[in-house]
Amino acid sequence: MAKVFLNGQPVEHPHEVHEHISPMSTYNAVIGALFVLTGLTFAVSFADLGPASLTVAMVVAFIKASLVVAYFMHLKYDDKYHLFVFLGTIIFVGIFFGFTMFDLKSRDALNDEQETFVRWKEQQNAGKGLVVGVDNVPERRAKVLADIEAHGGGHGGGDHGGEHKADAKAEHKAAAH
Amino acid sequence: MSNEHAHAPAHDDDEHNPHLAHHFDTMGQQTASAKLGMWLFLATEILMFSGLFLAYFILRMFYPEMVLEAHEHLSKWAGGINTVVLLTSSYTMALGVRSIQLGDVKKLRLMLVLTILCGCIFMVVKYFEYSAKFQHGMLPGKYYTAHLHGYEIDGLPHIFFGVYFMMTGLHGIHVAIGLAIMLWMFVRAGRGEFGAKNYVAIENTGLYWHLVDLIWIFLFPLLYLVK
């Protein structure tokens, strides 16, 4: 007979279906655990854990997600290739998060080093939010500074609005205070 | 289905299964292909939502006080009730898949109805939550008018509510689509299209619904609970 392939692998007995059917007790235990963990996150949210609360909430969420994926979505008993697809996605999400957060967190140091700056901190102090960034390309910097000047400095520098100089470094030092 | 399989072993009854498409050799192969396709689709769903989660984390990193202040205006209880409702619906959906694995179409249809019911409760709670936000002017971007309704939130609350509405809104759209698919499956089950050997459509509906549940498992603590 013709050879049958599943996910690129030849299958020995293609006509036998090996679907795992979980007993009711498994589903009952999983939903019970999910309710308990939900109650736990809810209760913990009233306690004052400070910065640890994000970690606790995320750990509990990961446990809940694992239960749903393993038992409700049958990944524990399923073709391992589906687990590979799922975990592969999670890894790429991790890369996406990791590199973006690393970039944003190290941006201040880089701005200092390369004499560029983004005004979000200054804006935040003035309660105005992120409005404009100035970089170290002279033409772009001149244009942005001119725009700020044209708006009377209101959008740009808070208290430092009137002191715009062509020198971005001086501007940056003012912003640091 | 096709005469190319005339030389297949005698114990093979797949050839006679009316649900076997002609381009597959066996029901097992057909099921595996459908499930792999579903998992790949779920992967794209996770990646799509990850962008919104990242937006949330960036906002939180830059403006922690503002996020904490703004999230106090979300109802913990509404979020909590919706979590329980959605988890229950995932449970009934999983039981529906189990029923059809055992060939019980009647129980499958009951479970689909229960799941749809839970999904509807979720949407009703969401409706009340959203209308409260609309009333208080807690809206995204330029539509944000909460300061005119007596709510003073420092920082960039209009960005926070933009993230809130994008995340819960996209999730809500997924719930609505899930409800429509389950209704469709309910009708198809009534026509006798599913059985113990042919239920991959039900299983894939379940996978989709569980993913919607998974996303909520992360949305709920991040938006409603975290301090």
Side-chain angles (χ1 to χ4, degrees):
Chain A
M1 66 172 272
K3 220 172 189 159
V4 173
F5 287 83
L6 282 185
N7 301 328
Q9 299 289 325
V11 182
E12 289 296 322
H13 304 288
H15 301 290
E16 293 170 14
V17 176
H18 299 282
E19 283 296 342
H20 179 91
I21 303 176
S22 309
M24 279 300 287
S25 56
T26 306
Y27 290 117
N28 292 337
V30 169
I31 190 69
L34 288 173
F35 283 151
V36 168
L37 288 169
T38 304
L40 187 72
T41 344
F42 200 74
V44 160
S45 78
F46 289 100
D48 198 9
L49 292 181
S53 65
L54 180 65
T55 318
V56 171
M58 284 298 96
V59 167
V60 174
F62 267 106
I63 296 171
K64 282 165 76 180
S66 311
L67 285 173
V68 170
V69 170
Y71 295 99
F72 285 178
M73 297 170 98
H74 301 143
L75 260 198
K76 193 182 169 192
Y77 312 101
D78 211 352
D79 191 330
K80 287 285 169 280
Y81 195 63
H82 300 158
L83 184 66
F84 166 73
V85 169
F86 180 71
L87 291 182
T89 312
I90 303 301
I91 288 168
F92 276 98
V93 171
I95 293 171
F96 179 34
F97 277 36
F99 276 63
T100 312
M101 292 310 253
F102 173 73
D103 175 49
L104 289 172
K105 279 192 171 165
S106 51
R107 190 57 69 84
D108 276 358
L110 270 179
N111 285 334
D112 279 347
E113 197 181 299
Q114 301 181 355
E115 298 185 1
T116 57
F117 65 95
V118 175
R119 290 168 154 266
W120 68 266
K121 264 194 172 161
E122 186 189 351
Q123 293 293 321
Q124 188 189 33
N125 293 341
K128 285 176 183 155
L130 182 64
V131 178
V132 65
V134 176
D135 59 21
N136 62 352
V137 176
E139 302 86 63
R140 281 207 297 242
R141 187 177 66 202
K143 188 181 178 301
V144 173
L145 290 177
D147 280 352
I148 292 168
E149 208 67 58
H151 282 82
H155 290 291
D159 296 334
H160 311 291
E163 313 172 353
H164 292 300
K165 296 186 179 96
D167 185 5
K169 195 163 187 181
E171 185 78 10
H172 182 50
K173 284 203 173 123
H177 288 296
Chain B
M1 293 290 275
S2 100
N3 51 15
E4 281 167 42
H5 299 282
H7 52 285
H11 67 265
D12 173 30
D13 58 355
D14 277 353
E15 319 307 306
H16 312 296
N17 194 321
H19 300 292
L20 180 64
H22 68 92
H23 50 284
F24 290 113
D25 287 321
T26 65
M27 286 302 282
Q29 193 186 39
Q30 175 171 294
T31 302
S33 305
K35 267 171 92 170
L36 177 59
M38 193 65 202
W39 274 105
L40 288 172
F41 169 68
L42 295 189
T44 66
E45 291 277 274
I46 292 170
L47 292 173
M48 175 169 69
F49 272 98
S50 75
L52 289 170
F53 277 102
L54 186 56
Y56 168 87
F57 280 117
I58 290 171
L59 192 67
R60 206 188 145 97
M61 181 174 84
F62 281 169
Y63 307 98
E65 296 90 358
M66 182 273 289
V67 169
L68 294 192
E69 207 181 326
H71 106 107
E72 292 294 330
H73 294 278
L74 304 180
S75 165
K76 271 186 186 188
W77 285 100
I81 290 167
N82 263 352
T83 305
V84 171
V85 165
L86 217 52
L87 288 175
T88 309
S89 78
S90 243
Y91 171 71
T92 55
M93 188 70 226
L95 292 190
V97 173
R98 185 179 183 274
S99 308
I100 196 65
Q101 281 179 326
L102 297 168
D104 190 344
V105 177
K106 223 175 147 186
K107 199 169 169 208
L108 164 69
R109 296 190 88 202
L110 171 69
M111 287 303 162
L112 282 174
V113 167
L114 289 179
T115 313
I116 291 171
L117 213 64
C118 286
C120 290
I121 296 173
F122 180 91
M123 293 303 258
V124 168
V125 173
K126 196 96 260 166
Y127 166 79
F128 283 114
E129 264 191 278
Y130 272 16
S131 18
K133 291 287 157 297
F134 283 21
Q135 250 171 24
H136 299 152
M138 291 173 184
L139 290 165
K142 64 177 180 180
Y143 303 105
Y144 180 85
T145 52
H147 51 284
L148 305 179
H149 295 264
Y151 296 96
E152 287 292 333
I153 307 172
D154 287 337
L156 303 166
H158 59 298
I159 306 281
F160 176 83
F161 285 104
V163 170
Y164 166 78
F165 275 104
M166 277 307 290
M167 291 180 96
T168 57
L170 189 62
H171 179 267
I173 288 171
H174 278 77
V175 172
I177 292 170
L179 289 175
I181 293 172
M182 283 186 290
L183 200 63
W184 179 34
M185 290 301 137
F186 178 79
V187 171
R188 284 181 65 184
R191 289 199 214 127
E193 287 188 30
F194 304 121
K197 284 198 160 183
N198 177 54
Y199 60 86
V200 71
I202 300 291
E203 187 155 17
N204 282 349
T205 307
L207 287 177
Y208 174 83
W209 192 251
H210 296 314
L211 186 91
V212 171
D213 187 32
L214 272 190
I215 288 162
W216 185 259
I217 285 176
F218 286 96
L219 274 186
F220 170 58
L222 285 177
L223 286 175
Y224 292 83
L225 293 184
V226 157
K227 280 192 178 171

